[in-house]
Amino acid sequence: MKKFTRKQMITAGAVVVLGIGGITVGVVNHNNNVHAQQVAKTKAQDAKVKADKKAKAEQLVKEKEAAQQKQVAALLATATKNPTDASIKAVNDAIAKLTDQKEKTKDADLVKGLNNRLSLIKKAQAAVKDYQAHATDANKQKVAQSAINALTDKNDASVKAQLQKLFDESNKQAQEAAKAAQVKQQSSQETQKANVANTSNQQTAQNTQENNSNSSDNSTSSNVTPSYNGGGTSANTGTNNNSNGSNQGNSNSNNGNSNSNNNSNNNSGNNVQPTPTPQPTVKYMGWVSVDGVVKYSQNFDSDAQATAYASGVYNSKEVEDLMFAGHSISWGVRPVQV
């Protein structure tokens, strides 16, 4: 066997070491590449997960916004049909949850229109109620009709018709009250004229009776013949008889005058004056009707008392409960003859 020299052995060892080192370096480089690929793959997966989460979150926001806009549209439709404080508040609360500023601005402008309509409706309702309590006030009548005419939105047609109906009922009552007052005034004037005429007739009759009585007294006094107290001789007997006969005639004449006076006085006493015809009494009935039927009513001596009664019943809790239950309520005052 050939022996290697020391130099050859060192050279061979170096070659072996270089070979092993090269293998080690190759293995390390491979492992590093695999690790880098795994890291890159992991990062890509993480990025994809994050992107998916973000896309999903954005989709949820869009869906939530769309659902909120749909709710706002539904509430707007309800408030547009019947604007009330509650329905408009619900719309505003829903609009506040929107994130799209453009949609928010558009819907807020619509709410402004609803607030304007509600203000006009409230004004008309208050004016009509005031006119119902003062149906004879021409100024309140004008204000109420103008407020009703201001309801021009087509969605307020039913409210406008209901208020116009209440207005017409009060207007009719006012006309009836005016006619009744006129009739009462005419009746009072006719009664006053009749009383004046009766007083005049009675005075005339009394004056006639007094004149007849004075005339009778004067006639009786002028027909009385003074008595003759004659005496003396028998030669004057015939003259005295004639004088007595004359006195007897005067006595008969006086009796006739007495009868005439008695007949005149009796006829004057029998002149009975006619009794005045009693006039009807006018009362004022305060009333409250439910669905067109009078449910509450009471008669009073004055229009103010009847108005106070009807207004009090109209504003009572019982009648308000009927109104909230959907019943048609109206009230007023009208004259009645008893």
Side-chain angles (χ1 to χ4, degrees):
M1 180 177 180
K2 185 179 179 179
K3 293 182 179 181
F4 294 99
T5 64
R6 181 178 178 83
K7 184 179 180 180
Q8 289 176 335
M9 290 179 63
I10 291 173
T11 303
V15 171
V16 171
V17 170
L18 290 173
I20 294 173
I23 295 172
T24 300
V25 170
V27 171
V28 170
N29 288 335
H30 175 73
N31 289 338
N32 289 337
N33 291 334
V34 171
H35 178 70
Q37 291 176 357
Q38 289 177 346
V39 170
K41 185 178 181 179
T42 300
K43 288 183 177 179
Q45 289 177 347
D46 291 342
K48 185 177 184 303
V49 170
K50 290 181 179 180
D52 290 343
K53 286 183 178 180
K54 182 178 180 180
K56 187 175 182 180
E58 290 176 350
Q59 182 64 27
L60 288 175
V61 170
K62 289 181 180 179
E63 291 177 356
K64 184 178 180 180
E65 181 75 4
Q68 190 65 26
Q69 289 180 2
K70 186 176 180 180
Q71 183 180 9
V72 169
L75 293 173
L76 274 172
T78 301
T80 299
K81 185 177 180 181
N82 182 27
T84 62
D85 291 329
S87 63
I88 292 177
K89 182 180 183 302
V91 174
N92 284 327
D93 292 343
I95 292 175
K97 296 178 182 179
L98 293 175
T99 58
D100 190 331
Q101 293 300 323
K102 185 177 180 180
E103 287 294 326
K104 268 190 172 184
T105 302
K106 183 189 71 174
D107 294 336
D109 290 339
L110 294 176
V111 172
K112 288 181 181 178
L114 293 177
N115 282 323
N116 290 336
R117 284 178 52 203
L118 180 58
S119 177
L120 292 175
I121 291 173
K122 287 183 176 180
K123 183 178 179 181
Q125 289 173 336
V128 170
K129 186 175 182 179
D130 189 28
Y131 176 56
Q132 285 180 313
H134 308 87
T136 57
D137 191 321
N139 185 53
K140 294 183 184 296
Q141 177 189 27
K142 182 179 179 180
V143 171
Q145 186 61 70
S146 297
I148 293 173
N149 294 338
L151 302 178
T152 57
D153 193 284
K154 64 179 181 180
N155 294 295
D156 299 332
S158 60
V159 176
K160 183 177 182 179
Q162 182 181 9
L163 292 175
Q164 187 65 54
K165 180 180 178 182
L166 295 175
F167 174 89
D168 292 341
E169 289 176 352
S170 294
N171 190 33
K172 182 179 179 182
Q173 294 162 11
Q175 292 176 356
E176 291 177 351
K179 290 180 181 178
Q182 185 178 5
V183 170
K184 181 180 179 181
Q185 183 179 5
Q186 292 177 349
S187 176
S188 177
Q189 292 176 350
E190 291 176 357
T191 302
Q192 185 176 3
K193 289 180 180 179
N195 291 336
V196 170
N198 289 334
T199 302
S200 177
N201 291 336
Q202 291 174 358
Q203 186 64 39
T204 301
Q206 182 178 359
N207 292 338
T208 301
Q209 183 176 359
E210 290 177 353
N211 291 335
N212 290 336
S213 177
N214 292 334
S215 176
S216 176
D217 291 341
N218 292 333
S219 176
T220 302
S221 175
S222 63
N223 289 328
V224 173
T225 303
S227 60
Y228 177 76
N229 294 324
T233 61
S234 57
N236 293 327
T237 301
T239 303
N240 289 337
N241 289 336
N242 292 334
S243 177
N244 289 336
S246 175
N247 288 338
Q248 289 176 358
N250 289 334
S251 177
N252 292 333
S253 175
N254 289 337
N255 290 335
N257 290 333
S258 176
N259 291 334
S260 175
N261 289 334
N262 289 335
N263 291 334
S264 176
N265 291 335
N266 289 336
N267 290 335
S268 176
N270 291 331
N271 187 12
V272 179
Q273 300 302 320
T275 302
T277 303
Q279 299 298 322
T281 301
V282 178
K283 295 282 187 178
Y284 293 89
M285 182 178 73
W287 59 269
V288 177
S289 69
V290 180
D291 297 329
V293 179
V294 175
K295 185 175 181 180
Y296 309 91
S297 65
Q298 188 171 339
N299 293 340
F300 296 89
D301 293 331
S302 68
D303 179 88
Q305 292 175 328
T307 299
Y309 164 79
S311 177
V313 175
Y314 178 80
N315 292 306
S316 66
K317 185 177 184 304
E318 180 180 353
V319 174
E320 287 183 354
D321 292 340
L322 292 173
M323 187 183 301
F324 289 138
H327 296 280
S328 176
I329 308 297
S330 62
W331 70 276
V333 175
R334 66 168 174 261
V336 293
Q337 293 185 351
V338 296

